[in-house]
Amino acid sequence: MLRTIFAFYLLLAGALAARAQAPDADGTPVPADPCARQNFEGAAYIVCGVDPAKADLRLFWKDAAGKPYRRFSGVADAVTGEGHRLLFAMNAGMYREDFTPMGLYVEDGKGLIPVNVEAPPKVSGPVPNFFKRPNGIFYLDEAGAHIVSTEDFLKQKPNVQLATQSGPMLVMSGKINPIFIPGSSDRTRRNGVGLSADGTLRFVISEGDVNFHDFASLFRDELKCPDALFLDGGNGTGLYNPALGRNDTSWHGGYGPIIALVGG
């Protein structure tokens, strides 16, 4: 009886593994879903892991007609039209009222928006997140993925294939940004990207409200990312992931830049 049960579970495990790697109609292997729910210090998150050396990771902003996609479903339709599938997507940084990225935006090797080096605006309240120092840039080049401060990016002047600018930096060389306050009451939904020591990217969105310090701690202490960048927060953050039943919409009409993982 025990042998029968054991054999059944071996067959089940094999079937699940085969399903995760089953070929597409054209014979292209379909990767297992990259996103999973994860808890850290009482808060719930969705973490999507990507190996940039193997993945088809892209940025989307405007469609073929020159209009911002605004919604994940539009990106999914565009990808489907190419004969591929959208495995997951996430808003990739802050944007203006017309959905134009706030800072550097490079898509498919083409620089569409330059680096934003504006001084923080003079406001009576808190400085807008994009201008909190240091802000930073996530980019891909021939060497792989990178997350660096905007200042370092300007010094290095890399030849990038994909890039988005946002802020503030969450973690820098293993240290949490010192502007963050432990236990801060500034709590909201947040999303960001981190780069682990082995080169794996971690795209993360919180399922509830968290403060900056707790969000940065997740990247450094749990996900082992010595460098991480905040992308956006509040109702401006969202996720597309069919496996988890997510196709979020933005409360103010849509998203600007969108990072997406495309499958065969």
Side-chain angles (χ1 to χ4, degrees):
M1 182 65 178
L2 289 176
R3 289 182 179 179
T4 301
I5 294 174
F6 182 67
F8 169 77
Y9 279 109
L10 282 177
L11 288 171
L12 179 60
L16 290 173
R19 180 181 178 185
Q21 299 295 329
D24 220 342
D26 62 357
T28 303
V30 177
D33 187 76
C35 303
R37 291 187 170 89
Q38 189 166 340
N39 292 323
F40 177 69
E41 294 186 347
Y45 301 89
I46 293 177
V47 180
C48 302
V50 176
D51 180 350
K54 300 177 181 178
D56 186 0
L57 195 63
R58 307 185 198 177
L59 275 172
F60 292 85
W61 173 27
K62 292 182 177 181
D63 61 20
K67 297 181 179 180
Y69 280 104
R70 296 172 51 189
R71 295 177 176 83
F72 297 131
S73 55
V75 175
D77 290 343
V79 169
T80 300
E82 297 177 355
H84 302 299
R85 286 187 289 170
L86 184 60
L87 299 180
F88 91 85
M90 183 180 287
N91 58 298
M94 299 166 201
Y95 46 96
R96 304 182 191 276
E97 292 184 1
D98 63 354
F99 307 103
T100 299
M102 282 285 295
L104 177 68
Y105 181 83
V106 180
E107 178 183 319
D108 196 23
K110 300 176 182 178
L112 303 180
I113 302 292
V115 176
N116 187 331
V117 292
E118 298 174 19
K122 295 181 180 180
V123 293
S124 57
V127 174
N129 287 330
F130 182 90
F131 296 99
K132 289 178 179 176
R133 295 296 187 247
N135 64 13
I137 293 171
F138 158 62
Y139 70 94
L140 298 181
D141 63 10
E142 293 182 353
H146 309 267
I147 297 175
V148 299
S149 69
T150 299
E151 181 180 358
D152 285 345
F153 181 89
L154 291 172
K155 290 178 181 177
Q156 297 165 7
K157 298 180 180 179
N159 183 20
V160 305
Q161 182 68 17
L162 171 159
T164 183
Q165 181 183 6
S166 191
M169 290 285 290
L170 296 169
V171 185
M172 300 164 288
S173 300
K175 296 182 179 179
I176 291 176
N177 192 327
I179 68 173
F180 302 152
I181 302 171
S184 170
S185 60
D186 178 16
R187 301 170 61 86
T188 188
R189 294 176 64 236
R190 304 184 189 276
N191 78 299
V193 57
L195 180 62
S196 64
D198 66 1
T200 302
L201 289 166
R202 307 290 184 186
F203 293 92
V204 181
I205 184 170
S206 68
E207 301 222 67
D209 295 344
V210 295
N211 62 39
F212 269 123
H213 194 275
D214 291 347
F215 195 45
S217 296
L218 167 75
F219 281 101
R220 186 191 66 174
D221 301 336
E222 180 70 8
L223 302 180
K224 308 303 179 185
C225 294
D227 298 288
L229 176 66
F230 179 66
L231 292 176
D232 210 344
N235 290 321
T237 188
L239 173 73
Y240 175 94
N241 182 240
L244 295 178
R246 293 285 292 269
N247 184 11
D248 300 347
T249 56
S250 171
W251 67 276
H252 44 55
Y255 303 106
I258 294 171
I259 189 80
L261 178 63
V262 177

